[in-house]
Amino acid sequence: MYIAHTIEELRGRLSASKRPAFVPTMGNLHDGHIALMKQAKPLGDATVASIFVNRLQFLPHEDFDTYPRTWDSDCEKLRAAGCDVLFAPTEKVLYPEPQTCKVHPDPALADILEGHFRPGFFIGVCTVVMKLFQCVQPRVAVFGKKDYQQLMMIRHMVRQFALPVEIVGGETFRADDGLALSSRNGYLSKDERAEAVQLSKALKAMAEAVRAGERDLAAIEARAMQSLAQRGWQPDYLVLRRRSDLQAPEAGEPLVALAAARLGNTRLIDNLEIEALPAL
């Protein structure tokens, strides 16, 4: 695996590649990231990963300074997964001057759910992804479905700017008990880790209610919020939205259940697509 720390090194290494396949990460890699790397491997003639903790997508009170950085372990995992090139820029390399030019995504998608509770988050996400795309110049990029709204945001950005990048979604990778893997799971205490599976269980209960024929979506959402709050969680949202744009669903549209909740000091997100939805 070749490790490029500058844009010039990266472009030189990829100069002969006609279809780079790219997986951007913030490091602290887990099996979910590695599954995305393996998914990307057959999609291009060179597999590229990036590790960059992007300051622009962290709010002032969030965990930028303490976000886990596990460089040696990450490199070992990427090598084992068959990664060809790792792009690992410093802030000075990626942002050599203050990044005053930023991507401002459509507020209809960017200012709801995660964007409501983390104002400016998707500006930071879209800006860094756009810049990484310019550096790597991939023809395909793989993003995990666990960050469902983020995946939709990137697809929207690529479509709006006519970028020559195919965006592929990777299924959420889960632990045996159903907890979605996340770098922030490492913040959980032993007891919190045992409790954390309740988030995915709440989503499953929402999906089961819809499939059973319940049509009062607001009641389903309120029940899910209450179920977590009663267990000591601080839920931000548990909602049912249509998959196409995360707005309120119309009759018969496929849904996705999305959740974000804080357990102790750790904020977790998850989602669950609901297939073959009967008419509302």
Side-chain angles (χ1 to χ4, degrees):
M1 181 177 70
Y2 180 84
I3 300 176
H5 292 287
T6 69
I7 298 171
E8 292 74 18
E9 291 172 341
L10 175 71
R11 289 178 174 168
R13 187 68 176 187
L14 293 176
S15 60
S17 177
K18 298 184 182 299
R19 187 176 169 83
F22 180 41
V23 179
T25 85
M26 292 204 302
N28 192 30
L29 304 182
H30 51 66
D31 288 346
H33 293 109
I34 301 308
L36 297 180
M37 290 301 307
K38 292 179 178 178
Q39 183 176 351
K41 188 71 176 174
L43 301 179
D45 58 7
T47 310
V48 185
S50 66
I51 293 177
F52 181 72
V53 184
N54 178 43
R55 187 186 298 271
L56 295 185
Q57 68 193 66
F58 288 78
L59 298 181
H61 66 277
E62 292 184 333
D63 57 340
F64 174 79
D65 290 327
T66 59
Y67 192 85
R69 291 156 171 87
T70 52
W71 172 257
D72 291 338
S73 173
D74 290 348
C75 289
E76 182 179 336
K77 290 175 181 177
L78 289 172
R79 288 190 185 96
C83 179
D84 298 309
V85 179
L86 169 59
F87 181 42
T90 62
E91 279 194 289
K92 189 66 175 176
V93 166
L94 204 60
Y95 301 133
E97 58 187 69
Q99 190 68 32
T100 54
C101 290
K102 298 178 181 178
V103 178
H104 288 254
D106 184 353
L109 184 57
D111 292 352
I112 62 174
L113 303 175
E114 285 300 285
H116 173 76
F117 287 95
R118 304 178 69 189
F121 170 69
F122 287 116
I123 295 175
V125 168
C126 289
T127 299
V128 75
V129 171
M130 177 68 85
K131 196 151 194 181
L132 288 169
F133 281 176
Q134 299 308 314
C135 296
V136 177
Q137 299 180 15
R139 289 297 173 264
V140 59
V142 182
F143 290 81
K145 282 188 178 182
K146 187 185 80 69
D147 297 289
Y148 202 89
Q149 189 176 2
Q150 174 179 279
L151 173 61
M152 294 190 69
M153 194 70 59
I154 298 304
R155 282 178 168 157
H156 187 262
M157 180 182 75
V158 165
R159 185 171 65 250
Q160 289 265 309
F161 284 104
L163 300 179
V165 186
E166 176 189 357
I167 304 299
V168 175
E171 295 299 327
T172 301
F173 201 93
R174 299 182 180 276
D176 290 342
D177 64 357
L179 177 66
L181 296 196
S182 168
S183 296
R184 289 188 168 95
N185 289 353
Y187 295 153
L188 299 169
S189 68
K190 183 178 179 180
D191 289 343
E192 288 171 341
R193 172 60 188 84
E195 171 66 21
V197 69
Q198 295 300 324
L199 189 63
S200 62
K201 288 184 176 180
L203 290 172
K204 289 178 182 177
M206 296 171 73
E208 288 168 2
V210 172
R211 290 170 181 146
E214 189 171 347
R215 290 298 174 259
D216 188 342
L217 301 189
I220 296 173
E221 294 170 350
R223 194 163 62 240
M225 291 277 285
Q226 184 180 25
S227 70
L228 286 185
Q230 289 176 339
R231 301 182 66 92
W233 292 68
Q234 297 172 281
D236 285 341
Y237 59 82
L238 287 99
V239 297
L240 291 159
R241 298 292 175 90
R242 62 186 179 200
R243 279 188 240 167
S244 58
D245 58 8
L246 300 188
Q247 300 300 314
E250 302 291 340
E253 292 180 322
L255 302 184
V256 57
L258 304 112
R262 190 173 298 278
L263 180 59
N265 294 320
T266 305
R267 187 173 184 273
L268 303 176
I269 65 171
D270 200 355
N271 66 80
L272 182 65
E273 291 182 330
I274 303 175
E275 302 288 349
L277 179 71
L280 292 175

